[in-house]
Amino acid sequence: MSAASAATPPAPITTMANAIRALSMDAVEAAKSGHPGMPMGMADVATVLFTRFLKFNPKQPAWADRDRFILSAGHGSMLIYSLGYLTGYERMTIDELKRFRQLGSLTPGHPEVDPSLGIEMTTGPLGQGVSTAVGFALAERITNARFGDDLINHFTYVIASDGDLMEGVSHEACSLAGHLGLNRLIVLWDDNHISIDGSTDLSFTDDTPARFRSYGWNTATVDGHDPEAVAKAIEAAQTSDKPTLIACRTIIGKGAPNKANTHGCHGSPLGADEVAATRENLGWPHEAFVVPQDVLDAWRAAGTRADAAYADWTQRVAAMDPSARKAFEAAMDRGVPAGLDELIAAFKKKVSEDKPSWATRVASGNVLDILVPAVPEMIGGSADLTPSNNTKAKNTADVKGRGEFNGRYVRYGVREHGMATVMNGMALHGGVIPYGGTFMQFADYCRPSIRLAALMKQRSIFVMTHDSIGLGEDGPTHQPVEHLAALRAIPNLLTLRPADAVETAECWQIALERVNGPSVLALTRQNVPTLRTEHAAENRSARGGYVILEAEGERKVTLLATGSEVSLAAEARKALQAEGIGAAVVSIPSFELFEAQDDAYKASVLGSGVRVAVEAAIRQGWDRWLGYPGATAVAFVGMSGFGESAPYQELYKHFGITAEAVVAAAKARL
Amino acid sequence: MSAASAATPPAPITTMANAIRALSMDAVEAAKSGHPGMPMGMADVATVLFTRFLKFNPKQPAWADRDRFILSAGHGSMLIYSLGYLTGYERMTIDELKRFRQLGSLTPGHPEVDPSLGIEMTTGPLGQGVSTAVGFALAERITNARFGDDLINHFTYVIASDGDLMEGVSHEACSLAGHLGLNRLIVLWDDNHISIDGSTDLSFTDDTPARFRSYGWNTATVDGHDPEAVAKAIEAAQTSDKPTLIACRTIIGKGAPNKANTHGCHGSPLGADEVAATRENLGWPHEAFVVPQDVLDAWRAAGTRADAAYADWTQRVAAMDPSARKAFEAAMDRGVPAGLDELIAAFKKKVSEDKPSWATRVASGNVLDILVPAVPEMIGGSADLTPSNNTKAKNTADVKGRGEFNGRYVRYGVREHGMATVMNGMALHGGVIPYGGTFMQFADYCRPSIRLAALMKQRSIFVMTHDSIGLGEDGPTHQPVEHLAALRAIPNLLTLRPADAVETAECWQIALERVNGPSVLALTRQNVPTLRTEHAAENRSARGGYVILEAEGERKVTLLATGSEVSLAAEARKALQAEGIGAAVVSIPSFELFEAQDDAYKASVLGSGVRVAVEAAIRQGWDRWLGYPGATAVAFVGMSGFGESAPYQELYKHFGITAEAVVAAAKARL
């Protein structure tokens, strides 16, 4: 674009897009850091989307039937902040734009989930946005199937970058989206040919539309600076029976006369001179952060486009049968499922009487058989390990896709990372509570998304079975050793490792009641006895750690354990007691919940004599409890390296994780 | 296949394939666990490959120019074990097959790297094999470019499953393979339409060949039970200028009359009845584990097919100019680069005198400027963060691909996981020492491959910059908080977090000298002062932890820190000393190396008074050193949750990670 062309009065849509460009470059300039190139490049596309298509209401941002807009390329955060301000999200003021990337602002470096600002999810780690959007689109169809077109019937739009599509998770999620025929998902790809290292063709020469067609997507390619072409492509996408990828050929940093189309504008401020030259070039003579009233009015009007649709929708909701409305609102409110206490208590009572020797994965499956029919929001799934993860409740149908979304179970395929992103999207969308299974070993594959669930405070429930060397013959590639520690390390993630069927039910209750964060259930492949044979309605696991077996006589030894090793500790206790040594067993299904208890409680549980911890995993993290004030001596019985392939009973012996070893460790320290 | 057809004498190649089928089902039956379906389904394809194409020598299994064969679908491990026995790898005896999945056998549940058995890498976690194979193929071209066709000129073959290709990492690596034009990579896809959950079309309806063509691959589709068709496809692949995917349409469990083509034979023994029926059906009347001599002879002959080629190759090596031969052998021997000590010592001497205030990523870049020209095996790269990771040494060219492989730097694109797999493949191939960079946050994306590098004991060097909230404005999506703990949790991985330019050089030396395992270098974005201002030739970081600043007077306080927080601890020490409180600073660049020191050393370093640890990360793991015997009181100054977006100096204050906080924590405990 030359300075001459800026002399002709620009069409209103271009002027509106220039407001995004100016705000973006000004905010990055003020912050002295950030990414101006992407918002400037995609300003035209975003303007078309927000002024002609997106169904949204900045005054009612939580509208359940709004279209969802995901800025997958989160580094271009000034795009969404600019849009938030321009379209009239009340809290997204011009002052917040001026505080871009400053402590406590609403405008951090990457967008952080807050629907009240039009930010549907936290993005930045590439690939997550576009993949999580698949979960939004899936939840939309599932809630549509349940509640009907009158209540939930919207699109999910994504702006994605080259980097998003290079990430492997985009393959997993987009392949699944194609398989399921999620035709209300529309991805606008910022095809700008520039990444941090330089031209994308340094490393990336995929035919991306062909790739997406191979997944069963519809594709289109347009000039991203031609508003009519973009609009036509979106219109066509809206009527497709497939998800659509629209490749928008754009110029990164468009408007910057010297830095456009270079990686120089990707991740750095333009600099004062180039900012001035860009103003000149765009014919945007206004001061930094100033949007003239007529342009702001045009944008604010775009923000009211769906006012009538919103009013109609509220009327439809108001006109509903009260019980149906209650169910709808309960689903969308993301609360604790009704009746959960009673269901869990009944299950606990029964298993405390029956005393089954179930693997905790089997216990979990049995809990699900009860919960899933009673909690219609629960949508299960597994990354192709259904018979191993015990995640499919009896008599539940698959979510087949391609028009059939009334099932309760998603076949995610061998796509662990994709599954986790899709679960996050479902949780974010609302109306559903996603849970999904894989082997705990493959928590590593999902880790970026598990972290994001924790950062976004979303109720994604990860069912991780085969949680130790107890899986046996599959060997070290499949035996988690460091995974419990690594999961416990993630802030705001609950890692729950129940010891028996009773604790498994309690852990499910904890996970479902935890509306503001994700949980991992770490479950055994191998059978374990029921230890909690006296029924208590109280959820004892909710304290994180508790004395599951008291010492007889004075407590000289406290054995700390989780999951399958609690029964091993119970055996050791029996042997110690037989020698007259008072020993208690403490089960710690959740380090995080136990940490949150007060000091007096923790001290009383951990005891004051010898402490021996046992877990078929590495020691890291256990020193917190071993070193907690009060112990006279401590020991850890567990793993110090990778596992081996053999029947699991032999492995426990081979690695010295036995009741005998626990007894010996305790006695040596008395 | 009907029993009738088995009555006609089968062609020899089918008989040879039936030997694989019989051994596989027998071993799984004996172990009472395992995956018979895949080896039985791919037996014909494998037989064609091993008897007509694969250049290998079971008597000289380490032959540097052998073709590499990767069983990506590692659950089908009996395929590679059967092939190992049949073709004559000495240690792979029939007894080892009988001990399938037993403790200490050579036949664990999933193949574990051991080239002496024909096992080029550990597989099992899906997607890793096919992706790592890209690294093999890349290393082959790089070493070919360096040493010429006479020395390195081979193919890399892969057998991959549906699951392998559903995994996102396969997208990243195969897209890169297409971009680089790695035409000596040939992937045989076991297109059997069955996964654990049932038919793959429950979850997977990609047009996989079209997907691979979109990456720039050549593709073919054949009947995997038609040996001639398979052979023709391999022949065509060998002459392609692109990598090739051959879709081999197969019947899982082929030969089992009732369970073939069902998921019932995927991951469970066939059962005695079906095993008997399969023998009948295949016309294989031999006892379990018995291979008739004529069939074994035919297989053993296949194992000698390349004897002449091997002899020629050894002659070519023998005929080399001695210095060139020495360079070749040094490269292939995976030893410690010559002259490393001197290079590192000279660098350390200079920076200890110059005392620069460099970010450790900058220090790392400066070390690489010296190492890369001196160590021709080093091949760098970054996942599209070259200017941020400081991974590209001065005056080094890119590995451009498509015939141009003489560069030293790989542009991995936004493919962190793919990068890690490719690095592992390069390390496994030999001839190169791979290092590659990304932000430490994205260690999560690479985690399955970092773990596999540790399990396989490979020298992959991961350069992870922006290692804390010190990265500032990019915010919590980009700020590692739990990543140091999570990396330290992985067995056999060295996590190195140097405090200054001197320690950075020492950590590079440690990583390069560590021929039997991977390392992560955790490096700052922000500047840190040089603390090691007195030059010592000794690599002090090699002890893992050491007193970097002694107390003046009696030591009352020991401050433990790593990386950027060591200088913060040094400030705190100064303040304490000013108040007459003797305080030492301990730098712990590697928890793992420090753990490996003897108790007396550890106790002397950690001291006996008050201990305060400071790290801009979570506490997990630190209790090991805080709780180590001897301290009178302890404290930790660090993070307890996610970060924020703001300039980094403000973040350190906001989260209370300051010299003042360290001083206060120490004084409160004196």
Side-chain angles (χ1 to χ4, degrees), chain A residues 101 168 172 197 386 474 482, chain B residues 101 168 172 197 386 451 474:
Chain A
R101 295 182 152 234
E172 298 183 18
D197 271 18
T386 298
D474 273 347
E482 74 279 23
Chain B
R101 295 183 152 234
E172 298 183 18
D197 271 17
T386 298
R451 181 182 211 259
D474 273 348

Side-chain angles (χ1 to χ4, degrees), chain B residues 146-292:
Chain B
R146 181 171 172 204
F147 296 113
D149 285 352
D150 274 0
L151 299 182
I152 297 290
N153 193 23
H154 68 80
F155 289 97
T156 299
Y157 295 97
V158 179
I159 286 183
S161 64
D162 298 305
D164 283 309
L165 303 188
M166 286 193 240
E167 291 285 359
V169 67
S170 74
H171 163 61
E172 298 183 18
C174 293
S175 163
L176 183 65
H179 171 76
L180 292 172
L182 296 175
N183 63 320
R184 298 174 74 80
L185 173 62
I186 299 174
V187 175
L188 299 150
W189 168 34
D190 179 17
D191 179 18
N192 65 29
H193 294 208
I194 296 290
S195 68
I196 291 176
D197 271 17
S199 169
T200 50
D201 63 16
L202 280 174
S203 60
F204 181 63
T205 39
D206 289 4
D207 178 347
T208 297
R211 171 188 161 210
F212 276 74
R213 285 193 296 275
S214 83
Y215 298 152
W217 285 51
N218 174 41
T219 68
T221 299
V222 299
D223 174 354
H225 303 301
D226 176 345
E228 284 312 311
V230 172
K232 271 191 191 157
I234 295 175
E235 277 164 12
Q238 288 184 332
T239 59
S240 172
D241 61 350
K242 299 172 179 176
T244 295
L245 176 80
I246 303 174
C248 304
R249 186 70 186 89
T250 63
I251 295 166
I252 191 170
K254 183 167 171 76
N258 304 301
K259 293 197 172 177
N261 208 24
T262 73
H263 66 143
C265 68
H266 172 90
S268 309
L270 296 181
D273 291 350
E274 183 75 354
V275 165
T278 304
R279 289 199 134 71
E280 177 76 23
N281 189 31
L282 292 176
W284 184 268
H286 323 292
E287 294 293 300
F289 294 107
V290 171
V291 178

Side-chain angles (χ1 to χ4, degrees), chain A residues 240-319:
Chain A
S240 172
D241 62 349
K242 299 172 179 174
T244 296
L245 176 79
I246 303 174
C248 304
R249 186 70 186 89
T250 62
I251 295 167
I252 191 171
K254 184 169 170 74
N258 305 300
K259 293 196 172 176
N261 208 25
T262 74
H263 66 142
C265 68
H266 172 89
S268 308
L270 297 181
D273 291 350
E274 184 74 354
V275 165
T278 304
R279 290 200 133 73
E280 177 76 24
N281 189 31
L282 293 175
W284 184 269
H286 321 292
E287 293 293 299
F289 294 108
V290 171
V291 178
Q293 195 61 44
D294 60 327
V295 180
L296 191 59
D297 288 346
W299 268 113
R300 293 284 156 95
T304 64
R305 275 176 32 250
D307 282 2
Y310 176 74
D312 288 351
W313 181 84
T314 55
Q315 284 185 1
R316 290 196 299 273
V317 173

Side-chain angles (χ1 to χ4, degrees), chain A residues 8 57 187 400 504:
Chain A
T8 10
N57 185 340
V187 175
K400 292 198 181 66
T504 303

Side-chain angles (χ1 to χ4, degrees), chain B residues 453-477:
Chain B
L455 185 59
M456 297 190 294
K457 303 183 179 168
Q458 293 304 307
R459 181 171 47 180
S460 297
I461 304 175
F462 303 100
V463 179
M464 301 285 186
T465 70
H466 298 60
D467 68 351
S468 76
I469 54 165
L471 76 77
E473 291 90 340
D474 273 348
T477 55

Side-chain angles (χ1 to χ4, degrees), chain A residues 411-423:
Chain A
R411 301 284 182 170
Y412 288 105
V414 186
R415 303 182 182 102
E416 299 85 3
H417 197 177
M419 175 176 75
T421 59
V422 170
M423 287 168 58

